[in-house]
Amino acid sequence: MTVDATSMLLVAVVLLLLTLLTGLARTIIGPSLQDRMLSVQLLGTGGVALLLLMAALFRASALIDVALVLALLAAVAAAALTRRGENDD
């Protein structure tokens, strides 16, 4: 991998980390369950993207498997929050 590609991947990783921090703040602040559910989806999607970028950066194929597991967990978390929201009404 060239220096330009590596630096671009590092910039993308930093931007994704900032996005994840913003999503984490929205998860904590709320105010509604829908806001929290969307931010959990953002955390899942951003985490998957971050892991895939790190897999390309470090040439670690095991991180791709971890990203797939995280994608599944994010989908389950969204389903669980949706189910919880239906029961609260």
Side-chain angles (χ1 to χ4, degrees):
M1 197 174 315
T2 65
V3 176
D4 289 333
T6 303
S7 61
M8 287 177 60
L9 283 174
L10 286 174
V11 168
V13 165
V14 169
L15 290 174
L16 274 171
L17 285 173
L18 290 173
T19 303
L20 289 173
L21 286 174
T22 305
L24 184 62
R26 177 48 77 185
T27 302
I28 293 169
I29 294 170
S32 67
L33 181 64
Q34 289 83 10
D35 289 332
R36 289 190 170 109
M37 184 176 70
L38 285 174
S39 64
V40 166
Q41 284 296 100
L42 173 71
L43 291 174
T45 304
V48 168
L50 182 65
L51 285 170
L52 291 174
L53 283 175
M54 288 173 56
L57 189 62
F58 298 133
R59 296 186 179 132
S61 62
L63 287 176
I64 295 173
D65 296 333
V66 175
L68 287 172
V69 171
L70 182 59
L72 288 173
L73 287 175
V76 169
L81 281 172
T82 302
R83 186 83 160 143
R84 180 177 167 231
E86 289 173 359
N87 291 337
D88 287 344
D89 291 341

